[in-house]
Amino acid sequence: MGTAEGRTRPGRKVWVAAAVLVVVVAGLMHGYRNTNALTGDRLCGGLVSTAKADGVLPGSGRLDAEGEGLADELKDTVCEVEKSSVVFGSGKGTLTLRVREEDGDAPLKDEAWPELPEESFFAGKVTGGVDKYRGWVLLPEKCWAKQPLIVGASSSEPISDGKAFAALITDAARAVAAGAACGYLPEEPGTLLPPRSEAARPASDGRVCGLDGFSVRGQVPADTEVLEAGQRAPADLWSCRVFLDDDSRGPAREDGFMTYTASRDPLLIAAVKKAPGTSKGEAPGGREAEVVERTGVVLSCAQGELYLASESGLQYLEARKRHPDLPARDTYFESFVKSATETFGCATSARR
């Protein structure tokens, strides 16, 4: 009897050891496939913070990244971070970050960047903006070559925490600038300035977009309600989109009637002035200015420079077909400049 018991004990020990090994391996596999316990602090050659990316992409899961860090040409730098998990209902999503060489005002007018009416801006030590899917940060001027360089990020899933998203892009831009030895950025941006409301709201005549004395009466079809969406004025980085509450649908309605932008941020203004063709000229009203484009100027003010621009939307083109007597684009820009210079504290030119 005792001999039989002695013979079975080694078998039990082996079974227990095997079971423990299975549990350990399963635990390690779970940790590897569903958490970042075994992942380094930074991804893509040090460009992206693992913790910040994990906090931005929804749910829980493992982060995997593609990207070797800074490219020889900064503008070729790309990093893709994916969150995945084998646990049902856990996190997912892809975050793509790239360094882009663009005109300085590209984030304020091109479709590839955040939607202006939904964007939260930040300016000062860091210049940029975010919405629920996309964001950007302007790299220091020493990093630029022919054109300004901008770190842009896009997410396949909506991001609920704009502050965390802005912090992630700022941290990545900081890593790019440090790696290229072309400037310094802080770890996080300043205060985010969100839109005045989530949806377009009725505009007040004589104070459209919150600008003193700004009216579009006589510049839109009669009996058409005007809506507005965007930032509260004045601000160092500001935009407002005007919509017509008419029967336009789809892309035309989303694109709006007219978009106005303004900036007192020195870095953004320096980026804007890098645009080809920028030259000395006059703003509407005859005031000296640097003309960036037909409806875009930089004014020299007593308290610094001010960039003002307007861009017509698809709603304007549709309305112009139906109402040929609507003014040309220049008319909208002229009335905007007149009001914006007052609201943004640029009524007085800088002394020369």
Side-chain angles (χ1 to χ4, degrees), residues 111 185 201 239 351:
E111 294 181 357
L185 288 173
R201 48 193 279 169
S239 73
R351 293 182 179 180

Side-chain angles (χ1 to χ4, degrees), residues 135-150:
W136 61 280
V137 164
L138 191 57
L139 285 171
E141 194 167 357
K142 290 181 180 179
C143 301
W144 308 348
K146 294 181 179 179
Q147 289 181 292
L149 287 173
I150 307 170

Side-chain angles (χ1 to χ4, degrees), residues 118-141:
E118 302 169 9
E119 188 169 0
S120 294
F121 289 121
F122 42 96
K125 294 182 179 180
V126 185
T127 303
V130 294
D131 64 11
K132 292 182 179 180
Y133 288 92
R134 291 169 291 190
W136 61 280
V137 164
L138 191 57
L139 285 171
E141 194 167 357

Side-chain angles (χ1 to χ4, degrees), residues 34-189:
N34 303 293
T35 74
N36 296 299
L38 304 178
T39 306
D41 292 340
R42 300 192 72 85
L43 306 166
C44 292
L47 296 184
V48 176
S49 162
T50 302
K52 291 184 186 298
D54 189 34
V56 162
L57 290 172
S60 59
R62 173 178 170 75
L63 297 179
D64 292 293
E66 292 184 9
E68 300 300 325
L70 289 181
D72 292 338
E73 292 280 342
L74 285 184
K75 63 182 181 180
D76 296 330
T77 300
V78 179
C79 169
E80 185 171 280
V81 179
E82 181 179 23
K83 176 179 277 190
S84 61
S85 174
V86 296
V87 178
F88 179 76
S90 296
K92 62 177 182 178
T94 301
L95 186 70
T96 303
L97 183 141
R98 65 179 70 240
V99 179
R100 305 174 65 161
E101 190 176 57
E102 299 269 10
D103 286 342
D105 60 352
L108 302 178
K109 65 179 185 180
D110 289 356
E111 294 181 357
W113 299 94
E115 284 288 330
L116 287 179
E118 302 169 9
E119 188 169 0
S120 294
F121 289 121
F122 42 96
K125 294 182 179 180
V126 185
T127 303
V130 294
D131 64 11
K132 292 182 179 180
Y133 288 92
R134 291 169 291 190
W136 61 280
V137 164
L138 191 57
L139 285 171
E141 194 167 357
K142 290 181 180 179
C143 301
W144 308 348
K146 294 181 179 179
Q147 289 181 292
L149 287 173
I150 307 170
V151 176
S154 60
S155 173
S156 63
E157 302 295 322
I159 294 174
S160 59
D161 190 340
K163 185 176 180 180
F165 193 21
L168 179 144
I169 306 171
T170 297
D171 180 72
R174 171 188 171 95
V176 171
C182 61
Y184 168 82
L185 288 173
E187 293 182 2
E188 296 193 4

Side-chain angles (χ1 to χ4, degrees), residues 115-299:
E115 284 288 330
L116 287 179
E118 302 169 9
E119 188 169 0
S120 294
F121 289 121
F122 42 96
K125 294 182 179 180
V126 185
T127 303
V130 294
D131 64 11
K132 292 182 179 180
Y133 288 92
R134 291 169 291 190
W136 61 280
V137 164
L138 191 57
L139 285 171
E141 194 167 357
K142 290 181 180 179
C143 301
W144 308 348
K146 294 181 179 179
Q147 289 181 292
L149 287 173
I150 307 170
V151 176
S154 60
S155 173
S156 63
E157 302 295 322
I159 294 174
S160 59
D161 190 340
K163 185 176 180 180
F165 193 21
L168 179 144
I169 306 171
T170 297
D171 180 72
R174 171 188 171 95
V176 171
C182 61
Y184 168 82
L185 288 173
E187 293 182 2
E188 296 193 4
T191 303
L192 269 66
L193 301 176
R196 294 171 65 190
S197 61
E198 292 186 1
R201 48 193 279 169
S204 300
D205 189 56
R207 195 173 168 77
V208 174
C209 292
L211 303 180
D212 297 331
F214 189 33
S215 174
V216 292
R217 186 186 297 275
Q219 298 179 356
V220 298
D223 301 323
T224 301
E225 184 176 14
V226 177
L227 307 176
E228 63 182 39
Q231 308 291 321
R232 187 178 302 278
D236 288 338
L237 195 49
W238 174 90
S239 73
C240 179
R241 182 167 294 169
V242 171
F243 302 84
L244 301 183
D245 193 13
D246 58 13
D247 59 357
S248 58
R249 293 290 181 268
R253 192 174 184 88
E254 293 176 8
D255 202 42
F257 185 77
M258 201 71 59
T259 299
Y260 302 99
T261 57
S263 178
R264 299 182 297 200
D265 182 75
L267 186 61
L268 182 74
I269 291 175
V272 165
K273 289 162 66 173
K274 290 276 287 184
T278 299
S279 59
K280 297 288 185 181
E282 291 184 353
R287 184 167 167 177
E288 289 186 6
E290 291 190 60
V291 178
V292 181
E293 52 191 347
R294 182 175 176 180
T295 55
V297 297
V298 175
L299 299 172

